[in-house]
């Protein structure tokens, strides 16, 4: 097993795999990569299992020193990659010699890049996952300068070509299945009209929006109930929040609808100010 030394952690870099499944009844969020297709693609480039743990950066990139030879791949938000001060490929397997500095720069588009290493990041599993969960505090803490990241044994299989992935959205289009509390709002289809944008307060818990507020048609409060990935909860300010991987497992604000999981990878890459368009599903 080899190690990577964290030289520059970036503003928020965490270890993520495909998350914790089947533990919501314990009050534990699923966590995991916000952009799952990007994580899977990075692992595929290296011959890793699809769910091998990697690093998820947020806007600012990361810098690591390889303490032994390593092979890495960067996907997700496009960003400059350098090895030993020289430009290296994004979206391809890249060899990093022992002692070399690997740098992933700030994202040029989108929000989150994924840095995978052959063998995967081998931090201990917690409840079946190596993912950092910012809501519950489970899993490894966000990276800090001087951290040592253990790396597993590199797989014997051959690396594969990169599967083309959508670019970061200029407009975030989210399909929406109305319910279970759409009747709590005077006009839930207001979400389908222009004017909504990604708010700067968005994070791994939820994509927050700004724009026209949804007015309540009913007063009172709901008893807390289970929340699912993609639930669109509406707090008292009327501005919808789309729940992402670190979302709470229960909540008491009404849910106007649910965004399908397939649409959430784009939400992970939408920068603040990006227009948001909800498209209600029929049937």
């Amino acid at each position: 097993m080899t190690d990577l030394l964290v030289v520059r952690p970036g503003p928020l870099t965490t270890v993520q795999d495909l998350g914790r499944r089947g533990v919501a009844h314990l009050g534990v969020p699923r966590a995991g990569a916000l952009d799952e297709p990007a994580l899977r693609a990075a692992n595929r480039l290296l011959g890793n299992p699809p769910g091998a743990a990697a690093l998820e950066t947020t806007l600012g990139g990361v810098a690591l020193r390889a303490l032994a030879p390593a092979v890495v791949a960067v996907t997700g938000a496009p960003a400059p990659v350098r090895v030993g001060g020289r430009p290296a490929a994004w979206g391809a397997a890249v060899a990093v010699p022992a002692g070399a500095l690997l740098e992933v720069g700030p994202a040029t588009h989108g929000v989150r890049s994924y840095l995978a290493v052959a063998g995967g990041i081998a931090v201990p599993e917690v409840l079946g996952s190596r993912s950092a969960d910012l809501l519950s505090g489970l899993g490894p803490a966000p990276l800090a300068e001087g951290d040592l990241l253990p790396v597993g044994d590199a797989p014997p299989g051959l690396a594969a070509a990169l599967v083309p992935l959508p670019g970061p959205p200029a407009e975030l289009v989210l399909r929406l299945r109305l319910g279970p509390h759409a009747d709590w709002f005077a006009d839930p289809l207001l979400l389908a009209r222009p004017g909504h944008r990604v708010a700067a307060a968005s994070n791994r818990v939820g994509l927050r929006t700004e724009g026209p507020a949804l007015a309540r048609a009913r007063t009172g409060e709901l008893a807390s109930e289970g929340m699912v990935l993609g639930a669109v909860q509406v707090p008292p300010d009327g501005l919808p929040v789309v729940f992402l991987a670190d979302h709470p497992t229960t909540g008491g604000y009404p849910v106007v609808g649910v965004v399908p999981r397939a649409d959430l990878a784009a939400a992970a890459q939408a920068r603040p100010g990006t227009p948001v368009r909800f498209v209600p599903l029929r049937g």
Side-chain angles (χ1 to χ4, degrees), residues 33-38 77 109-112 114 165-175 198 207 242 244 259-272 274-277:
L34 291 193
D35 187 344
E36 281 195 13
H109 301 84
V111 177
R112 295 173 174 90
Y114 291 85
L165 297 170
E171 178 188 42
L172 179 59
V173 179
L174 299 174
R175 293 171 295 166
V198 176
L207 181 136
V242 182
L244 301 179
V259 173
R261 176 179 163 185
D263 293 4
L264 298 179
Q269 301 295 359
R271 290 194 170 191
T274 300
V276 181
R277 180 161 55 94

Side-chain angles (χ1 to χ4, degrees), residues 4 10 16 31 39 52 64-65 69 79 92 96 99 132 134 157 181 191 221 226 251:
L4 298 172
Q16 300 294 339
L39 172 69
L64 309 169
R65 191 170 300 281
V96 182
L134 301 187
H181 306 130
L191 284 174
E221 298 298 330

Side-chain angles (χ1 to χ4, degrees), residues 59-81:
L59 290 173
V62 67
L64 309 169
R65 191 170 300 281
L67 302 185
V71 181
V72 303
V74 181
T75 61
V81 180

Side-chain angles (χ1 to χ4, degrees), residues 15 31 33 36 45 55 75 77 84 107 115 136 139-140 174-176 239 253:
V15 176
E36 281 195 13
L45 285 167
L55 298 181
T75 61
L115 169 59
S136 71
L174 299 174
R175 293 171 295 166
L176 182 70
L239 301 178
Y253 295 137

Side-chain angles (χ1 to χ4, degrees), residues 2-10 12-15 46 53-57 60-74 80-85 94-105 113-118 120-121 123 142-151:
T2 61
D3 289 323
L4 298 172
L5 173 67
V6 178
V7 176
R8 177 175 58 83
L12 178 63
T13 302
T14 58
V15 176
L46 302 172
L55 298 181
E56 178 184 274
T57 69
V62 67
L64 309 169
R65 191 170 300 281
L67 302 185
V71 181
V72 303
V74 181
V81 180
R82 300 178 73 85
V83 174
V94 173
V96 182
L101 183 66
L102 166 65
E103 299 172 275
V104 179
S113 299
Y114 291 85
L115 169 59
V117 57
I121 304 296
V123 296
L143 264 59
E145 183 179 347
D147 284 351
L148 284 175
L149 298 174
V151 177

